[in-house]
Amino acid sequence: DQQVKQNSPSLSVQEGRISILNCDYTNSMFDYFLWYKKYPAEGPTFLISISSIKDKNEDGRFTVFLNKSAKHLSLHIVPSQPGDSAVYFCAASDRGSRLTFGEGTQLTVNP
Amino acid sequence: DGGITQSPKYLFRKEGQNVTLSCEQNLNHDAMYWYRQDPGQGLRLIYYSQIVNDFQKGDIAEGYSVSREKKESFPLTVTSAQKNPTAFYLCASTRHNTGELFFGEGSRLTVL
């Protein structure tokens, strides 16, 4: 039972344009959501998070949007840079429980 | 510098052998986790520990064992009972039960 799903295995965008990565979840008890970035042969690094009491959180070029009614969150990267090319994982937790991760989306930013 | 250290980075094992992956953290974090990454399947939780001398099974614990004798250390043993052990293994820790996880660099295990 995949409670967190990233339906796009890959995404390719041009440098300077917007990257939008999507994530859907099924567990309505999830109340905290995170995005991680992962380069090959390295561990994931934390990027940005959002609590269920908010619908938007921004940190520099990165913005996460949460639509609780649709059980959907998205990560926007503006402007996209070649160094942003990596696998992005979304993750969710339920009231302090362990994190559940999505399958990941490979983002490629072309110069 | 504070962080999580996993070793070895690469490991080869013959079928039928047990192997232990090391994970050490100096972040003074209470909770530690082991994940497995396979292509197209994201990160799946193997075991986690919220306190010394206590640990719980994750979603795919069969064929694995762990111990938590010290706060800083959470080794993972991949036993011969694990049917498909070739994977990239990630150790993580956090001060609280949830929130931001800090990951190690990973260990790639290949069974020959």
Side-chain angles (χ1 to χ4, degrees), chain B residues 28-88:
Chain B
N28 198 32
H29 285 171
D30 296 307
M32 296 186 74
Y33 304 78
W34 275 104
Y35 287 89
R36 168 181 171 142
Q37 184 191 8
D38 295 283
Q41 295 197 51
L43 305 180
R44 293 184 292 166
L45 182 64
I46 304 172
Y47 267 99
Y48 63 106
S49 168
Q50 296 175 351
I51 195 169
V52 174
N53 291 324
D54 186 47
F55 48 82
Q56 288 80 40
K57 293 181 178 179
D59 300 318
I60 54 165
E62 185 176 352
Y64 299 97
S65 66
V66 293
S67 63
R68 187 87 186 276
E69 297 175 3
K70 298 186 301 182
K71 187 175 185 177
E72 303 79 21
S73 178
F74 191 41
L76 173 74
T77 296
V78 185
T79 75
S80 57
Q82 168 49 233
K83 299 268 189 284
N84 187 18
T86 294
F88 189 59

Side-chain angles (χ1 to χ4, degrees), chain A residues 44-109:
Chain A
T45 55
F46 170 76
L47 198 55
I48 193 168
S49 64
I50 188 167
S51 163
S52 60
I53 61 173
K54 294 186 174 183
D55 54 18
K56 177 183 174 181
N57 188 25
E58 196 170 351
D59 183 2
R61 296 186 298 114
F62 302 92
T63 303
V64 56
F65 295 92
L66 176 63
N67 183 333
K68 289 187 289 293
S69 60
K71 294 190 181 68
H72 177 82
L73 68 154
S74 60
L75 174 68
H76 292 210
I77 306 173
V78 180
S80 301
Q81 299 172 354
D84 295 329
S85 297
V87 176
Y88 289 79
F89 291 99
C90 70
S93 74
D94 161 19
R95 291 172 298 172
S97 70
R98 65 199 202 193
L99 289 181
T100 300
F101 285 84
E103 305 94 326
T105 297
Q106 171 70 57
L107 173 66
T108 302
V109 180

Side-chain angles (χ1 to χ4, degrees), chain B residues 10-47:
Chain B
Y10 299 96
L11 185 61
F12 296 88
R13 186 195 93 177
K14 290 183 180 178
E15 278 194 31
Q17 289 181 335
N18 291 355
V19 63
T20 297
L21 307 179
S22 169
C23 179
E24 303 277 333
Q25 55 100 358
N26 60 3
L27 300 165
N28 198 32
H29 285 171
D30 296 307
M32 296 186 74
Y33 304 78
W34 275 104
Y35 287 89
R36 168 181 171 142
Q37 184 191 8
D38 295 283
Q41 295 197 51
L43 305 180
R44 293 184 292 166
L45 182 64
I46 304 172
Y47 267 99

